[in-house]
């Protein structure tokens, strides 16, 4: 059992040999910067590698469970209802419900890859200025509509945006949110104090994470000891590393040099 936590982003990795599927638990918050980075970059690289390799069947060997409830505070009201207070306000709680409902609905259809496509999109665009209301609040309807569209989720039988919204902002959303809370509550940290980010008991900060190119795809391939399919060298080379600042500058310089050569 390996635990990896980036502030509001925890990855619980179970690699038991007897398990029929490769199981991973990932704990996130919709508006946490680390969580959005994980979804929009680290995990997106993994999803992109699956798409690029045409190895979508690998999804059948995976059991990736997201829990969208880490540092939420629960208050039991006198009428028996529960109030959820998210660190970054109600928008974050609603974003968590959207993601939790999308996962639940796709699980019912046995289409986890559809959810991964939706979630990586949502992680990238939930705070984009194109998906905000005039007062600056998040327009979750717009971001759900876009991330559930055919341009993002390729399956023509995909879960529709209206289904996700109806779940997230209805009674079903509360039920799904509470299920996520139950999974969070067994973890060895409180909702008030979040521990540091660690992998195999080694503590990292954000700079060290980028410097060491911690990659979900590379980690997965190392765990299953494979160099085939999505773990083949061409996919590891393209999707197996995070883009460091130095690498970004190198790529920008290469692009500029090519532009000048073609001028």
């Amino acid at each position: 059992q390996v635990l990896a936590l980036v502030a509001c982003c925890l990855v619980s990795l179970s690699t038991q040999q007897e398990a029929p599927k490769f199981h991973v638990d990932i704990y996130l918050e919709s508006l946490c910067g680390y969580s959005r980075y994980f979804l929009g970059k680290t995990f997106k690289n993994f999803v992109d590698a699956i798409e690029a390799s045409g190895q979508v069947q690998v999804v059948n060997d995976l059991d990736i469970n997201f829990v969208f409830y880490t540092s939420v505070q629960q208050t039991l009201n006198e009428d028996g209802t529960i109030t959820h207070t998210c660190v970054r306000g109600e928008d974050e709680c609603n974003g968590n419900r959207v993601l939790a409902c999308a996962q639940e609905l796709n699980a019912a259809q046995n289409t986890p890859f559809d959810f991964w496509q939706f979630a990586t999109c949502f992680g990238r665009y939930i705070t984009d200025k194109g998906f905000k209301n005039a007062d600056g609040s998040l327009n979750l309807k717009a971001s759900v509509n876009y991330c559930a569209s055919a341009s993002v989720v390729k399956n023509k039988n995909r879960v529709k945006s209206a289904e996700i919204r109806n779940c997230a902002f209805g009674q079903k959303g509360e039920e799904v949110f509470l299920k996520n809370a139950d999974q969070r509550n067994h973890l060895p940290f409180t909702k008030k104090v979040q521990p540091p980010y660690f992998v195999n008991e080694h503590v990292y900060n954000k700079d060290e994470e980028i410097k060491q190119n911690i990659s979900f795809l590379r980690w997965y391939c190392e765990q299953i000891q494979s160099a085939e399919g999505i773990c083949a060298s061409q996919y590891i080379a393209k999707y197996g590393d995070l883009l460091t600042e130095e690498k970004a500058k190198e790529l920008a310089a290469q692009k500029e040099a090519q532009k000048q050569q073609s001028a």
Side-chain angles (χ1 to χ4, degrees):
Q1 181 81 2
V2 182
L3 291 179
L5 176 65
V6 187
C8 48
C9 172
L10 176 80
V11 184
S12 174
L13 310 165
S14 176
T15 57
Q16 300 167 335
Q17 294 299 315
E18 67 274 18
K21 290 189 176 185
F22 188 90
H23 180 76
V24 184
D25 290 315
I26 303 173
Y27 294 77
L28 305 172
E29 298 277 11
S30 63
L31 291 184
C32 168
Y34 290 112
S35 297
R36 287 170 42 230
Y37 186 83
F38 179 86
L39 280 177
K41 179 63 180 177
T42 310
F43 193 70
K44 185 178 186 301
N45 280 348
F46 182 71
V47 173
D48 287 348
I50 293 175
E51 287 190 291
S53 66
Q55 300 286 317
V56 180
Q57 69 273 13
V58 73
V59 176
N60 298 324
D61 300 324
L62 298 169
D63 177 22
I64 299 180
N65 174 54
F66 286 89
V67 180
F68 299 99
Y69 205 106
T70 60
S71 53
V72 184
Q73 184 173 357
Q74 292 178 319
T75 302
L76 180 61
N77 303 314
E78 292 184 358
D79 60 1
T81 60
I82 294 177
T83 298
H84 308 276
T85 303
C86 292
V87 173
R88 297 158 196 87
E90 190 60 22
D91 274 344
E92 180 167 73
C93 279
N94 288 332
N96 288 351
R97 290 186 180 94
V98 164
L99 287 161
C101 278
Q103 178 174 242
E104 183 92 353
L105 291 166
N106 277 286
Q109 291 192 179
N110 194 28
T111 52
F113 193 70
D114 288 5
F115 169 66
W116 300 350
Q117 291 177 317
F118 174 86
T120 55
C121 170
F122 200 73
R124 294 197 308 280
Y125 294 117
I126 183 174
T127 60
D128 189 275
K129 63 181 181 180
F131 300 103
K132 287 187 176 181
N133 296 309
D135 62 359
S137 61
L138 301 186
N139 186 340
L140 292 176
K141 178 180 178 180
S143 52
V144 169
N145 287 348
Y146 174 70
C147 291
S149 68
S151 62
V152 175
V153 182
K154 307 303 190 296
N155 182 6
K156 65 179 181 180
N157 296 317
R158 66 190 177 281
V159 173
K160 301 300 186 289
S161 59
E163 297 176 73
I164 297 173
R165 297 196 312 271
N166 290 341
C167 170
F169 303 112
Q171 181 57 37
K172 180 67 174 178
E174 177 65 11
E175 295 171 6
V176 173
F177 207 33
L178 287 173
K179 284 174 61 177
N180 279 240
D182 288 341
Q183 293 181 72
R184 188 287 308 271
N185 288 340
H186 79 277
L187 294 173
F189 66 88
T190 71
K191 54 182 172 291
K192 294 182 179 180
V193 180
Q194 300 176 50
Y197 168 45
F198 61 97
V199 177
N200 285 344
E201 300 182 355
H202 182 85
V203 178
Y204 293 89
N205 61 35
K206 183 67 175 174
D207 292 336
E208 288 174 324
E209 176 197 358
I210 295 176
K211 187 185 302 179
Q212 298 195 23
N213 281 326
I214 296 174
S215 157
F216 187 82
L217 173 63
R218 188 180 292 275
W219 177 86
Y220 166 73
C221 294
E222 289 174 352
Q223 296 301 309
I224 65 172
Q225 298 182 341
S226 174
E228 300 178 347
I230 64 171
C231 298
S233 59
Q234 65 265 39
Y235 303 117
I236 290 293
K238 186 171 184 179
Y239 303 106
D241 292 310
L242 302 183
L243 188 62
T244 64
E245 183 177 354
E246 293 77 13
K247 186 66 174 178
K249 290 180 179 178
E250 178 186 335
L251 292 174
Q254 291 176 359
K255 186 175 182 180
E256 182 61 29
Q258 292 172 353
K259 183 178 179 181
Q260 292 179 358
Q261 288 176 359
S262 61

